[in-house]
């Protein structure tokens, strides 16, 4: 049984596709905060994948990220998610992202597990 304190790990290999870019071009040739945030959410989702039933799906509810140091192309960043709370349909994790012993980022993720049918209604485009 999954319980608070359990961990799940995701390793992301950083490529040029992860660089900080906006519509006006390349900002930095290092892993973007956005890319790190996406990897952090995936690490927390590893719990959701184990907890949800066949007729359920997870949806993100919040994400915090404290980006502390760069990750360069070719480096592997290890994101370790720690389950803080699993209550009702809510899954909350804290995480750290590291390259070796160097802390790259930390923060929290929140997700909820909902019935796919309910989620489809919530996410359906509204008719105007």
């Amino acid at each position: 049984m999954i319980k608070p304190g359990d961990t799940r790990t995701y390793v992301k290999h950083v490529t040029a596709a992860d660089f900080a870019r906006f519509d006006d071009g390349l900002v930095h040739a290092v892993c973007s905060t956005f890319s790190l945030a996406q990897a952090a959410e995936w690490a927390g989702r590893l719990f959701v994948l184990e907890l949800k039933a066949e007729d359920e799906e997870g949806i993100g509810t919040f994400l915090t990220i404290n980006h502390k140091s760069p990750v360069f192309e070719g480096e592997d960043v290890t994101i370790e998610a720690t389950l803080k709370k699993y209550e009702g349909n809510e899954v909350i994790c804290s995480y750290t992202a590291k390259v070796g012993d160097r802390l790259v980022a930390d923060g929290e993720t929140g997700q909820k597990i909902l019935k796919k049918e309910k989620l489809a209604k919530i996410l359906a485009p509204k008719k105007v």
Side-chain angles (χ1 to χ4, degrees):
M1 181 65 181
I2 295 174
K3 62 191 179 317
D6 287 354
T7 62
R8 298 295 180 268
T9 302
Y10 170 60
V11 177
K12 176 174 184 48
H13 183 75
V14 174
T15 69
D18 298 305
F19 289 173
R21 282 188 180 81
F22 288 98
D23 289 344
D24 63 347
L26 179 69
V27 179
H28 308 295
V30 296
C31 186
S32 68
T33 304
F34 170 80
S35 187
L36 277 176
Q38 189 175 34
E41 190 166 30
W42 177 257
R45 180 169 167 75
L46 295 175
F47 284 105
V48 171
L49 294 174
E50 292 180 52
L51 294 165
K52 72 180 187 72
E54 190 67 31
D55 66 339
E56 295 177 321
E57 186 51 85
I59 187 168
T61 56
F62 72 87
L63 169 71
T64 62
I65 183 165
N66 305 303
H67 196 164
K68 299 175 179 287
S69 67
V71 181
F72 300 96
E73 184 175 12
E75 289 186 318
D76 290 328
V77 58
T78 301
I79 299 100
E80 183 176 84
T82 302
L83 184 65
K84 288 182 67 175
K85 177 177 155 185
Y86 174 48
E87 191 172 288
N89 66 340
E90 188 174 40
V91 179
I92 297 177
C93 296
S94 60
Y95 69 87
T96 58
K98 294 181 177 182
V99 173
D101 291 333
R102 179 170 48 91
L103 182 63
V104 172
D106 60 21
E108 290 188 346
T109 65
Q111 298 183 55
K112 285 192 176 176
I113 298 173
L114 301 174
K115 295 288 186 189
K116 288 180 180 179
E117 184 178 302
K118 179 177 182 176
L119 194 53
K121 288 177 184 173
I122 292 169
L123 300 179
K126 305 292 183 234
K127 292 188 167 82
V128 181

